Amino acid sequence: MSGVQERITDALYGLGWGTVKKLPEPVANRLGRTIADAVWRKRGKGVLRLESNLARVVPDATPQRLRQLSRAGMRSYLRYWMESFRLPAWSKDRVREGFTPQDVHHLTDALASDKGVILALPHMGNYDLAGAWVTTKLETPFTTVAERLKPETLYDRFVAYREGLGMEVLPHTGGAAFGTLARRLRDGGLVCLVADRDLSAAGVEVKFFGETTRMPAGPALLAQQTGALLLPVTLWYDGSPIMRGRVHPPIDVPETGTRAEKTSVMTQALADDFATGIADHPEDWHMLQRLWLSDLDTVVKTEERPA
């Protein structure tokens, strides 16, 4: 991204946080749907990739059904952005009432154990709202990790925004972030991580909707190293102003095997829980990037093809 593009991107996000949060909620919702529909009609790379990903989730879907799902998916994605821009202006009561998770006892029981808790989520619904609900409704602070964005000023905006919601945000800098997360967990704290995509060499290969991809090793490694409880969480919208969600039961650390073997088993269990939630609410999975390794292999082969 060029310097000019970076400045434009930062300015657009600044406009969103500065303007959208002042809009009445119904107006912001309509604006989000209008933008989503306009983007969807253009059939750009993100929309086509979303449909390709959804074809794995709903393998028997017709082309018409996939187009319906991708349109609903873009509306869900823009709802996430409109809510995120407005969250700093929400009252504490609006935050408390804005999210209703099922089986929240898995989380409250885990927090009461003082063992430390890791919440792992896919790119579903609005995890920023879920996080604000945790800090407001449960009055529990937590630590998370943010990928460094370009321009740096945009990353700073995201950090300030999430810190304003009560989160401790660490930059994604490998071992340094892992060590801090481990210390928070050993102190009985809460860590929240988005964990459905890691295409680096450090990612753990898992079967996901019948095909191979990679997901982060961090949640499973942290649970093994610290004794913290690992809880998957899935989120979705149901057409109401309230976001829904589910806290899944803890993923156990296997009693036998090497660290790598245990990590593989736990990450596969995490992927299976994510798949359950995504299959139930595919339109709320905001995966507009390549995910499966076969898609990446196709890109590599195309780039290597002689002219």
Side-chain angles (χ1 to χ4, degrees):
M1 185 182 293
S2 69
V4 172
Q5 289 174 312
E6 288 181 359
R7 288 194 294 272
I8 292 172
T9 299
D10 184 48
L12 289 173
Y13 278 102
L15 180 65
W17 269 300
T19 302
V20 173
K21 72 178 180 181
K22 299 176 183 178
L23 297 175
E25 192 162 344
V27 175
N29 292 340
R30 286 197 298 273
L31 176 61
R33 287 193 298 270
T34 299
I35 296 172
D37 289 348
V39 172
W40 177 79
R41 283 193 294 269
K42 288 185 178 180
R43 310 287 294 160
K45 288 183 179 180
V47 172
L48 295 178
R49 176 51 49 193
L50 177 61
E51 285 185 11
S52 177
N53 291 337
L54 289 171
R56 265 74 168 229
V57 177
V58 190
D60 58 347
T62 63
Q64 181 181 5
R65 174 61 177 152
L66 285 176
R67 285 174 66 91
Q68 291 171 344
L69 280 174
S70 69
R71 183 181 188 184
M74 292 307 298
R75 287 186 170 190
S76 175
Y77 186 47
L78 263 294
R79 175 172 170 174
Y80 158 75
W81 279 110
M82 292 295 134
E83 284 182 347
S84 294
F85 287 142
R86 298 189 74 258
L87 262 178
W90 281 17
S91 68
K92 289 186 177 181
D93 284 342
R94 178 68 181 90
V95 172
R96 294 186 190 104
E97 296 167 1
F99 178 43
T100 304
Q102 301 171 5
D103 300 326
V104 73
H105 67 276
H106 290 307
L107 174 56
T108 53
D109 290 349
L111 291 171
S113 73
D114 289 329
K115 292 182 178 180
V117 181
I118 306 157
L119 294 181
L121 306 89
H123 287 82
M124 287 188 81
N126 188 340
Y127 34 84
D128 287 326
L129 172 55
W133 183 88
V134 168
T135 60
T136 304
K137 176 76 172 181
L138 301 185
E139 298 181 341
T140 302
F142 66 88
T143 303
T144 188
V145 174
E147 182 180 356
R148 283 203 173 275
L149 303 171
K150 289 186 177 182
E152 192 74 15
T153 50
L154 178 57
Y155 171 77
D156 292 339
R157 286 183 188 274
F158 269 99
V159 170
Y161 157 66
R162 287 179 172 145
E163 288 179 342
L165 298 176
M167 312 174 192
E168 179 189 21
V169 183
L170 306 177
H172 192 282
T173 52
F178 187 92
T180 302
L181 295 174
R183 287 193 295 274
R184 299 292 184 269
L185 292 168
R186 290 194 186 98
D187 290 338
L190 175 64
V191 164
C192 299
L193 301 171
V194 179
D196 59 343
R197 187 174 187 266
D198 182 355
L199 302 179
S200 71
V204 178
E205 288 196 3
V206 296
K207 287 293 183 182
F208 194 53
F209 293 103
E211 294 190 43
T212 303
T213 186
R214 296 193 190 102
M215 292 188 180
L221 287 172
L222 284 166
Q224 292 176 61
Q225 186 165 316
T226 67
L229 298 171
L230 174 57
L231 304 178
V233 177
T234 49
L235 309 170
W236 65 91
Y237 297 117
D238 65 357
S240 76
I242 299 172
M243 184 174 71
R244 311 294 177 177
R246 179 188 174 196
V247 182
H248 297 254
I251 292 175
D252 294 328
V253 177
E255 294 182 359
T256 60
T258 64
R259 184 171 71 168
E261 290 168 342
K262 292 178 180 179
T263 301
S264 178
V265 169
M266 295 175 72
T267 306
Q268 182 62 63
L270 193 63
D272 292 343
D273 283 339
F274 287 169
T276 297
I278 292 167
D280 287 342
H281 307 280
E283 66 276 12
D284 293 311
W285 185 43
H286 306 149
M287 186 55 66
L288 280 70
Q289 299 85 25
R290 297 180 189 274
L291 180 71
W292 282 275
L293 301 190
S294 59
D295 289 337
L296 296 174
D297 290 343
T298 300
V299 172
V300 170
K301 290 175 183 176
T302 301
E303 289 175 348
E304 292 178 347
R305 187 180 301 149

